[in-house]
């Protein structure tokens, strides 16, 4: 339940708290497994392997998220730089556009004035060149805005296919920008603009581009989800083993209880039988020994005593046994 929170943590403090929770839970799991004292080797080996896999899994998740966060920080810095570069682009394109608009108007006026004066050798080369550069500046303005917009959108995408499509559109836009920049190569006043566009180009293509870095971040997110899938498998398997251990422990307890009940039943039966035999033995002793050897002799003695006490001194006294009777 805690592990997915590391992927959705909004900041470093929350992420650090989640990592601490995970480390604490892993420590608790290890301590509780020690307390279980699993005696059966097959269970103990499976649990130990699963706990090791679980620890490695969470470590991989933490590392993946750490790399993703670091990539996101770098991307955020690049996006901040892109905003400043775009502001510079706008600041450089506007005066250039105004200058060439002025040049075009001036060339048109010059040609009109020459035509009115009857000049036949008026050249339109400068006008055509100024118009081409002015058109290139306008296209550069719109395409650079499109490129920056594509990069801004790419920085917040979470779909790899859409990102790839946007990257290809950005490459097409860059190709057009490069072509337009060639129209301004002879204008020294566009040097700063070309340098700014080169910096934007570096952010749009290559290994450290916005698109490449965002693709890496999305890949880390996908990797994190895959790691979480294995995490859930390990936890489910661990719970399954623990359930098996508990079930076998319950079965052992139930078997022991059943054995105890069976022993008690046998003891009760034996006790009842012993009591019955005791009664039989006591009855036999009473009947055969006490009645025959003691009671009968005492009765005969008592009969002799009564006869003698009644004056029959010749009544015989039966003598038997070797005891006090």
């Amino acid at each position: 339940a805690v592990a997915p929170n590391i992927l959705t943590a909004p900041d470093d403090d929350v992420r650090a708290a989640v990592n601490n929770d995970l480390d604490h839970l892993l420590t608790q799991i290890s301590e509780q497994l020690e307390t279980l004292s699993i005696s059966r080797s097959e269970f103990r080996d499976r649990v130990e392997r699963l706990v090791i896999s679980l620890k490695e899994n969470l470590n991989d998740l933490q590392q993946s998220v750490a790399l993703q966060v670091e990539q996101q920080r770098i991307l955020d810095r690049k996006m901040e730089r892109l905003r400043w570069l775009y502001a510079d682009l706008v600041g450089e394109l506007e005066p250039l556009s105004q200058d060439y608009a002025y040049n075009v108007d001036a060339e048109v006026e010059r040609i009109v004035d020459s035509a009115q004066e009857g000049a036949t050798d008026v050249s339109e080369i400068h006008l055509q060149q100024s118009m081409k550069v002015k058109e290139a500046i306008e296209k550069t303005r719109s395409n650079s805005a499109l490129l920056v917009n594509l990069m801004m959108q790419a920085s917040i995408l979470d779909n790899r296919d859409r990102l790839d499509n946007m990257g290809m559109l950005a490459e097409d836009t860059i190709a057009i920008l490069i072509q337009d920049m060639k129209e301004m190569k002879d204008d020294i006043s566009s040097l700063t603009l070309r340098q700014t566009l080169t910096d934007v180009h570096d952010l749009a293509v290559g290994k450290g581009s916005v698109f490449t870095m965002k693709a890496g971040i999305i890949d880390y997110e996908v990797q994190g989800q895959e790691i979480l899938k294995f995490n859930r498998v390990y936890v489910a398997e661990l719970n399954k083993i623990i359930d098996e251990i508990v079930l076998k422990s319950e079965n052992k307890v139930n078997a022991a209880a059943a054995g105890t009940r069976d022993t008690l039943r046998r003891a009760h039966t034996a006790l009842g039988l012993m009591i019955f035999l005791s009664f039989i033995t006591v009855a036999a002793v009473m009947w055969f020994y006490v009645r025959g050897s003691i009671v009968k002799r005492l009765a005969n003695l008592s009969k002799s005593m009564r006869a003698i006490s009644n004056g029959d001194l010749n009544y015989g006294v039966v003598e038997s046994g070797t005891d006090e009777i």
Side-chain angles (χ1 to χ4, degrees):
V2 175
N5 294 338
I6 196 172
L7 293 179
T8 57
D11 53 52
D12 291 341
D13 292 338
V14 176
R15 193 173 298 107
V18 173
N19 283 329
N20 288 335
D21 286 344
L22 290 174
D23 292 339
H24 178 65
L25 288 168
L26 284 172
T27 301
Q28 281 189 318
I29 288 174
S30 298
E31 292 174 352
Q32 288 156 357
L33 289 175
E34 287 294 327
T35 305
L36 279 178
S37 298
I38 304 171
S39 58
R40 301 185 61 158
S41 60
E42 69 271 20
F43 283 134
R44 184 170 59 250
D45 293 342
R46 288 169 64 191
V47 169
E48 288 176 353
R49 285 197 300 269
L50 271 175
V51 171
I52 291 172
S53 298
L54 189 59
K55 288 180 179 179
E56 292 175 349
N57 173 270
L58 290 175
N59 185 58
D60 291 343
L61 180 62
Q62 290 169 328
Q63 289 183 358
S64 176
V65 171
L67 291 172
Q68 177 186 339
V69 169
E70 182 59 28
Q71 288 280 88
Q72 186 63 53
R73 288 197 182 107
I74 296 173
L75 179 61
D76 291 342
R77 289 197 294 268
K78 287 181 179 290
M79 297 311 297
E80 185 65 23
R81 174 168 169 72
L82 179 63
R83 293 184 186 95
W84 286 106
L85 287 173
Y86 183 64
D88 292 342
L89 273 176
V90 173
E92 292 161 8
L93 283 167
E94 188 62 32
L96 270 178
S97 178
Q98 291 176 358
D99 288 345
Y100 276 94
Y102 175 79
N103 291 342
V104 168
D105 291 342
E107 285 294 324
V108 170
E109 288 179 7
R110 184 181 66 80
I111 293 172
V112 170
D113 291 342
S114 297
Q116 289 176 349
E117 292 173 0
T120 59
D121 58 345
V122 179
S123 173
E124 298 179 359
I125 294 176
H126 292 296
L127 175 60
Q128 292 174 352
Q129 182 63 29
S130 295
M131 290 181 67
K132 286 177 66 175
V133 174
K134 184 177 183 301
E135 182 183 359
I137 290 171
E138 294 301 324
K139 288 172 64 179
T140 299
R141 192 207 311 257
S142 61
N143 284 318
S144 61
L146 173 61
L147 178 60
V148 171
N149 184 51
L150 288 172
M151 294 166 72
M152 290 288 187
Q153 290 186 50
S155 68
I156 58 175
L157 283 177
D158 56 4
N159 183 283
R160 184 62 186 270
D161 292 335
R162 290 183 60 193
L163 180 67
D164 292 341
N165 292 335
M166 205 165 285
M168 289 188 289
L169 183 57
E171 290 177 1
D172 294 340
T173 306
I174 290 170
I176 296 173
L177 279 170
I178 291 173
Q179 188 64 36
D180 291 335
M181 289 301 297
K182 291 179 180 179
E183 299 293 340
M184 296 180 278
K185 63 180 180 179
D186 296 327
D187 188 346
I188 195 169
S189 63
S190 66
L191 180 62
T192 305
L193 173 62
R194 290 200 297 272
Q195 181 58 50
T196 304
L197 282 171
T198 300
D199 293 340
V200 174
H201 174 274
D202 292 340
L203 290 176
V205 295
K207 186 176 180 180
S209 71
V210 169
F211 296 97
T212 301
M213 296 204 69
K214 185 60 182 180
I217 291 171
I218 292 175
D219 289 343
Y220 280 127
E221 290 176 352
V222 173
Q223 183 185 63
Q225 294 295 337
E226 287 296 317
I227 293 172
L228 273 180
K229 284 172 61 177
F230 284 106
N231 177 276
R232 287 189 284 270
V233 170
Y234 293 143
V235 171
E237 183 65 21
L238 184 59
N239 285 331
K240 180 181 176 182
I241 294 176
I242 292 174
D243 288 341
E244 289 181 27
I245 294 171
V246 172
L247 180 61
K248 287 187 178 296
S249 298
E250 289 177 346
N251 290 339
K252 287 173 65 177
V253 170
N254 292 335
T260 301
R261 288 193 296 269
D262 187 54
T263 301
L264 288 174
R265 280 197 301 269
R266 289 198 303 269
H268 289 156
T269 302
L271 182 60
L273 183 59
M274 289 173 63
I275 292 173
F276 176 74
L277 291 175
S278 297
F279 277 123
I280 296 296
T281 303
V282 169
V285 169
M286 292 292 291
W287 181 263
F288 293 105
Y289 176 73
V290 175
R291 178 177 174 277
S293 299
I294 298 177
V295 176
K296 185 176 180 180
R297 290 166 62 207
L298 286 174
N300 290 336
L301 180 61
S302 178
K303 184 177 179 181
S304 300
M305 291 301 100
R306 282 196 299 273
I308 293 171
S309 66
N310 289 329
D312 186 1
L313 300 180
N314 293 321
Y315 192 89
V317 177
V318 179
E319 297 182 15
S320 63
T322 59
D323 52 15
E324 59 271 29
I325 300 176

